[in-house]
Amino acid sequence: MVQFKSAHELARYLDHTLLRPEASAQDLERLCAEAREHGFHSVCVNGSRVQLARHLLEDTNVKVAAVVGFPLGR
């Protein structure tokens, strides 16, 4: 069993996700700020938000992940 010494250490293995279609740019800014602050592995966003998330996370180790076809998945 893996044990983490801190929440920050655990956060490096987690995605911070915002997939609501009505999410605003301000919502995405908050998501990225939280990911930066807590050291999440990545943020997961809708494909249309990748460019903004990438810009907001420049000069960090936080990755940007995207979903395709969510939530309808065709």
Side-chain angles (χ1 to χ4, degrees), residues 13-73:
Y13 294 89
L14 301 176
D15 299 326
H16 199 23
T17 304
L18 178 64
L19 298 175
R20 289 190 337 260
E22 73 279 1
S24 67
Q26 185 178 17
D27 293 331
L28 186 64
E29 289 172 9
R30 184 172 37 254
L31 176 87
C32 291
E34 291 169 355
R36 185 182 307 109
E37 176 185 350
H38 298 291
F40 286 109
H41 175 75
S42 67
V43 296
C44 185
V45 297
N46 286 309
S48 64
R49 296 297 194 165
V50 168
Q51 186 174 4
L52 178 56
R54 180 151 163 65
H55 171 72
L56 293 168
L57 293 168
E58 283 180 329
D59 302 323
T60 72
N61 291 328
V62 180
K63 309 291 187 229
V64 177
V67 294
V68 177
F70 182 84
L72 302 176

Side-chain angles (χ1 to χ4, degrees), residues 1-4 9-10 13:
M1 181 160 117
V2 177
Q3 292 189 356
F4 298 98
E9 187 180 342
L10 172 63
Y13 294 89

